Amino acid sequence: MQTAKAYLETLYQRRPELFPSGLNPSPLTEHDIQQLENRVGYPFPRQYRSYLQAYQVPRISTSVRFCTSHVYIRSKERDTFVPEVKPENIVEVEFDWGGEGGFSREEYWERRAPGEEPYEMMDQFLKAGYILIGEYDGEGYFVFYDLVTAAVLHIHNEEIWEEAPLDMVDDSSLVRPFMEKHASQLCPDFDTFLRLVCTGEIYHDGDMIFVELPPA
Protein backbone atom coordinates (compact mmCIF):
# COMPACT_ATOMS: atom_id res chain seq x y z
CA MET A 1 0.00 0.00 0.00
CA GLN A 2 1.25 3.46 -0.88
CA THR A 3 1.57 6.38 1.50
CA ALA A 4 -0.73 9.39 1.81
CA LYS A 5 1.87 11.52 0.04
CA ALA A 6 2.04 9.08 -2.88
CA TYR A 7 -1.74 8.99 -3.29
CA LEU A 8 -2.01 12.78 -3.24
CA GLU A 9 0.83 13.04 -5.75
CA THR A 10 -1.07 10.62 -8.00
CA LEU A 11 -4.17 12.79 -7.78
CA TYR A 12 -2.13 15.89 -8.58
CA GLN A 13 -0.67 14.21 -11.65
CA ARG A 14 -4.14 13.14 -12.79
CA ARG A 15 -6.01 16.33 -11.91
CA PRO A 16 -3.59 19.26 -11.42
CA GLU A 17 -6.44 21.74 -11.83
CA LEU A 18 -7.75 20.63 -8.42
CA PHE A 19 -4.72 22.26 -6.80
CA PRO A 20 -4.72 25.86 -8.08
CA SER A 21 -1.66 26.76 -6.01
CA GLY A 22 0.20 23.56 -6.78
CA LEU A 23 0.98 20.66 -4.47
CA ASN A 24 2.39 22.43 -1.43
CA PRO A 25 3.81 20.74 1.67
CA SER A 26 1.71 20.77 4.81
CA PRO A 27 2.87 23.20 7.50
CA LEU A 28 1.37 21.09 10.31
CA THR A 29 3.95 19.98 12.88
CA GLU A 30 3.79 17.17 15.42
CA HIS A 31 2.95 19.81 18.02
CA ASP A 32 0.06 21.03 15.86
CA ILE A 33 -1.28 17.49 15.52
CA GLN A 34 -1.05 16.95 19.26
CA GLN A 35 -2.96 20.17 19.88
CA LEU A 36 -5.68 19.08 17.48
CA GLU A 37 -5.88 15.67 19.13
CA ASN A 38 -6.24 17.31 22.54
CA ARG A 39 -9.04 19.52 21.25
CA VAL A 40 -10.90 16.69 19.50
CA GLY A 41 -10.37 14.38 22.45
CA TYR A 42 -9.06 11.41 20.45
CA PRO A 43 -5.66 10.39 19.13
CA PHE A 44 -5.39 10.49 15.34
CA PRO A 45 -4.58 7.12 13.71
CA ARG A 46 -1.20 6.98 12.00
CA GLN A 47 -2.56 7.06 8.43
CA TYR A 48 -4.65 10.15 9.15
CA ARG A 49 -1.71 11.92 10.77
CA SER A 50 0.37 11.17 7.68
CA TYR A 51 -2.34 12.63 5.48
CA LEU A 52 -2.58 15.84 7.50
CA GLN A 53 1.18 16.30 7.37
CA ALA A 54 1.62 15.43 3.69
CA TYR A 55 0.32 18.27 1.53
CA GLN A 56 -2.16 21.11 1.61
CA VAL A 57 -5.45 19.68 0.34
CA PRO A 58 -8.05 22.27 -0.69
CA ARG A 59 -11.76 21.49 -0.80
CA ILE A 60 -12.08 19.51 -4.00
CA SER A 61 -14.48 17.31 -5.97
CA THR A 62 -13.32 14.11 -7.61
CA SER A 63 -15.05 11.32 -9.50
CA VAL A 64 -15.05 7.94 -7.78
CA ARG A 65 -16.01 4.70 -9.47
CA PHE A 66 -17.87 1.88 -7.78
CA CYS A 67 -18.55 -1.66 -8.93
CA THR A 68 -22.12 -2.67 -8.09
CA SER A 69 -21.76 -6.36 -8.96
CA HIS A 70 -19.13 -8.90 -9.92
CA VAL A 71 -18.49 -12.63 -10.00
CA TYR A 72 -15.29 -14.58 -9.39
CA ILE A 73 -13.74 -16.53 -12.25
CA ARG A 74 -10.66 -18.74 -12.46
CA SER A 75 -7.57 -16.99 -13.81
CA LYS A 76 -5.04 -19.31 -15.41
CA GLU A 77 -2.42 -16.56 -15.43
CA ARG A 78 -2.71 -15.95 -11.69
CA ASP A 79 -3.75 -19.51 -10.77
CA THR A 80 -6.46 -18.16 -8.52
CA PHE A 81 -9.97 -16.73 -8.61
CA VAL A 82 -10.28 -13.07 -9.61
CA PRO A 83 -13.32 -10.80 -9.87
CA GLU A 84 -14.89 -10.44 -13.33
CA VAL A 85 -16.34 -6.97 -13.83
CA LYS A 86 -18.73 -5.83 -16.55
CA PRO A 87 -18.81 -2.18 -17.73
CA GLU A 88 -22.54 -1.91 -17.09
CA ASN A 89 -21.90 -2.60 -13.41
CA ILE A 90 -19.68 0.45 -12.96
CA VAL A 91 -21.17 3.66 -11.57
CA GLU A 92 -19.37 6.98 -11.25
CA VAL A 93 -20.28 9.64 -8.70
CA GLU A 94 -18.84 12.97 -7.68
CA PHE A 95 -17.35 13.09 -4.22
CA ASP A 96 -16.62 16.33 -2.34
CA TRP A 97 -13.80 16.08 0.18
CA GLY A 98 -10.60 17.65 1.45
CA GLY A 99 -10.14 21.09 2.89
CA GLU A 100 -8.90 19.86 6.27
CA GLY A 101 -5.40 18.79 5.39
CA GLY A 102 -2.23 20.80 5.48
CA PHE A 103 -3.35 24.19 6.74
CA SER A 104 -2.89 25.81 10.13
CA ARG A 105 -4.42 24.06 13.11
CA GLU A 106 -6.72 27.07 13.61
CA GLU A 107 -8.04 26.71 10.07
CA TYR A 108 -8.40 22.96 10.52
CA TRP A 109 -10.58 23.55 13.54
CA GLU A 110 -12.67 26.18 11.76
CA ARG A 111 -13.41 23.63 9.05
CA ARG A 112 -14.57 21.15 11.70
CA ALA A 113 -16.96 23.64 13.29
CA PRO A 114 -20.66 22.79 12.92
CA GLY A 115 -22.63 24.80 10.40
CA GLU A 116 -26.26 25.42 9.79
CA GLU A 117 -28.87 22.70 9.37
CA PRO A 118 -28.38 19.88 8.50
CA TYR A 119 -24.74 20.12 9.65
CA GLU A 120 -25.23 21.41 13.18
CA MET A 121 -25.44 17.85 14.54
CA MET A 122 -21.91 17.16 13.28
CA ASP A 123 -20.57 18.73 16.47
CA GLN A 124 -21.88 15.71 18.37
CA PHE A 125 -20.36 13.34 15.82
CA LEU A 126 -16.95 14.93 16.33
CA LYS A 127 -17.30 14.63 20.11
CA ALA A 128 -18.02 10.93 19.60
CA GLY A 129 -14.88 10.46 17.50
CA TYR A 130 -16.31 10.73 13.98
CA ILE A 131 -14.78 13.27 11.59
CA LEU A 132 -16.94 14.29 8.62
CA ILE A 133 -14.50 13.99 5.69
CA GLY A 134 -16.79 14.33 2.68
CA GLU A 135 -20.06 13.62 0.95
CA TYR A 136 -21.29 12.30 -2.37
CA ASP A 137 -22.48 15.25 -4.43
CA GLY A 138 -26.25 15.01 -4.88
CA GLU A 139 -26.40 11.47 -3.46
CA GLY A 140 -27.16 12.37 0.15
CA TYR A 141 -24.39 10.26 1.68
CA PHE A 142 -22.02 11.54 4.36
CA VAL A 143 -18.60 9.95 4.78
CA PHE A 144 -17.03 9.83 8.25
CA TYR A 145 -13.64 8.81 9.56
CA ASP A 146 -13.90 6.87 12.81
CA LEU A 147 -10.99 7.83 15.06
CA VAL A 148 -11.69 4.86 17.32
CA THR A 149 -11.68 2.04 14.75
CA ALA A 150 -9.68 3.91 12.02
CA ALA A 151 -12.29 2.82 9.44
CA VAL A 152 -14.08 5.06 6.94
CA LEU A 153 -17.88 4.87 7.09
CA HIS A 154 -20.75 6.18 5.02
CA ILE A 155 -24.37 6.79 5.91
CA HIS A 156 -27.28 8.38 4.08
CA ASN A 157 -28.45 11.66 5.55
CA GLU A 158 -32.01 10.33 5.82
CA GLU A 159 -30.73 7.70 8.24
CA ILE A 160 -29.48 10.50 10.46
CA TRP A 161 -32.44 12.83 10.24
CA GLU A 162 -35.10 10.10 10.44
CA GLU A 163 -33.56 7.40 12.63
CA ALA A 164 -31.33 9.26 15.08
CA PRO A 165 -32.72 9.87 18.60
CA LEU A 166 -33.83 13.46 19.06
CA ASP A 167 -31.56 13.76 22.10
CA MET A 168 -28.53 13.06 19.88
CA VAL A 169 -28.52 16.74 18.88
CA ASP A 170 -27.22 17.51 22.37
CA ASP A 171 -25.86 14.17 23.61
CA SER A 172 -22.75 12.79 21.91
CA SER A 173 -22.93 9.55 23.91
CA LEU A 174 -25.81 8.48 21.65
CA VAL A 175 -23.82 8.88 18.43
CA ARG A 176 -21.62 5.78 18.53
CA PRO A 177 -24.43 3.29 19.27
CA PHE A 178 -26.42 4.92 16.46
CA MET A 179 -23.55 4.74 13.96
CA GLU A 180 -22.73 1.13 14.87
CA LYS A 181 -26.31 0.24 13.98
CA HIS A 182 -26.91 2.37 10.88
CA ALA A 183 -23.60 3.25 9.19
CA SER A 184 -21.78 0.98 6.74
CA GLN A 185 -18.05 0.59 6.32
CA LEU A 186 -16.78 2.13 3.11
CA CYS A 187 -13.03 1.53 3.56
CA PRO A 188 -11.13 -0.42 6.22
CA ASP A 189 -8.59 2.38 6.70
CA PHE A 190 -7.72 5.90 5.57
CA ASP A 191 -5.12 4.91 2.98
CA THR A 192 -7.72 2.78 1.19
CA PHE A 193 -10.00 5.82 1.17
CA LEU A 194 -7.20 7.91 -0.37
CA ARG A 195 -6.64 5.26 -3.01
CA LEU A 196 -10.36 5.42 -3.87
CA VAL A 197 -10.55 9.20 -4.22
CA CYS A 198 -7.10 9.80 -5.71
CA THR A 199 -6.38 7.06 -8.24
CA GLY A 200 -9.62 6.65 -10.21
CA GLU A 201 -9.56 2.89 -9.63
CA ILE A 202 -12.79 0.89 -9.44
CA TYR A 203 -13.88 -0.12 -5.95
CA HIS A 204 -16.39 -2.66 -4.73
CA ASP A 205 -17.41 -1.28 -1.36
CA GLY A 206 -19.25 -4.44 -0.32
CA ASP A 207 -16.16 -6.63 -0.59
CA MET A 208 -13.86 -3.62 -0.02
CA ILE A 209 -11.58 -4.56 -2.90
CA PHE A 210 -10.37 -2.80 -6.02
CA VAL A 211 -11.29 -4.46 -9.28
CA GLU A 212 -10.36 -4.06 -12.94
CA LEU A 213 -12.37 -4.06 -16.13
CA PRO A 214 -11.36 -6.81 -18.59
CA PRO A 215 -9.23 -5.69 -21.56
CA ALA A 216 -11.29 -4.28 -24.41
Side-chain angles (χ1 to χ4, degrees), residues 55-125:
Y55 294 107
Q56 296 180 16
V57 182
R59 190 71 182 178
I60 56 182
S61 179
T62 54
S63 295
V64 292
R65 295 192 295 170
F66 291 103
C67 173
T68 61
S69 177
H70 67 78
V71 297
Y72 283 93
I73 60 172
R74 184 77 182 182
S75 170
K76 294 182 179 179
E77 294 80 6
R78 301 184 187 181
D79 192 28
T80 186
F81 285 93
V82 297
E84 181 185 49
V85 181
K86 296 181 179 180
E88 59 265 29
N89 292 331
I90 304 303
V91 297
E92 186 170 316
V93 296
E94 289 296 308
F95 183 70
D96 299 323
W97 64 287
E100 74 274 51
F103 301 96
S104 69
R105 67 173 185 262
E106 291 79 11
E107 185 171 357
Y108 175 94
W109 191 255
E110 289 175 1
R111 292 168 186 267
R112 300 272 67 79
E116 298 179 354
E117 187 179 356
Y119 296 95
E120 73 278 6
M121 194 185 294
M122 297 308 158
D123 186 39
Q124 303 306 323
F125 280 78

Side-chain angles (χ1 to χ4, degrees), residues 18 27 33 47 54 56 61 69 74 82 85-86 89 98-99 108 119 124 130 146 150 155 158 161-162 168 170 205 208:
L18 297 177
I33 296 294
Q47 292 181 0
Q56 296 180 16
S61 179
S69 177
R74 184 77 182 182
V82 297
V85 181
K86 296 181 179 180
N89 292 331
Y108 175 94
Y119 296 95
Q124 303 306 323
Y130 296 98
D146 186 348
I155 183 171
E158 291 183 358
W161 317 135
E162 296 178 6
M168 203 168 82
D170 302 306
D205 59 325
M208 288 187 287

Side-chain angles (χ1 to χ4, degrees), residues 165-177:
L166 293 178
D167 291 344
M168 203 168 82
V169 175
D170 302 306
D171 188 351
S172 62
S173 69
L174 300 175
V175 175
R176 187 157 293 274

Side-chain angles (χ1 to χ4, degrees), residues 178-189:
F178 168 78
M179 289 290 282
E180 290 174 349
K181 180 178 180 181
H182 293 280
S184 300
Q185 189 171 125
L186 174 64
C187 301
D189 52 50

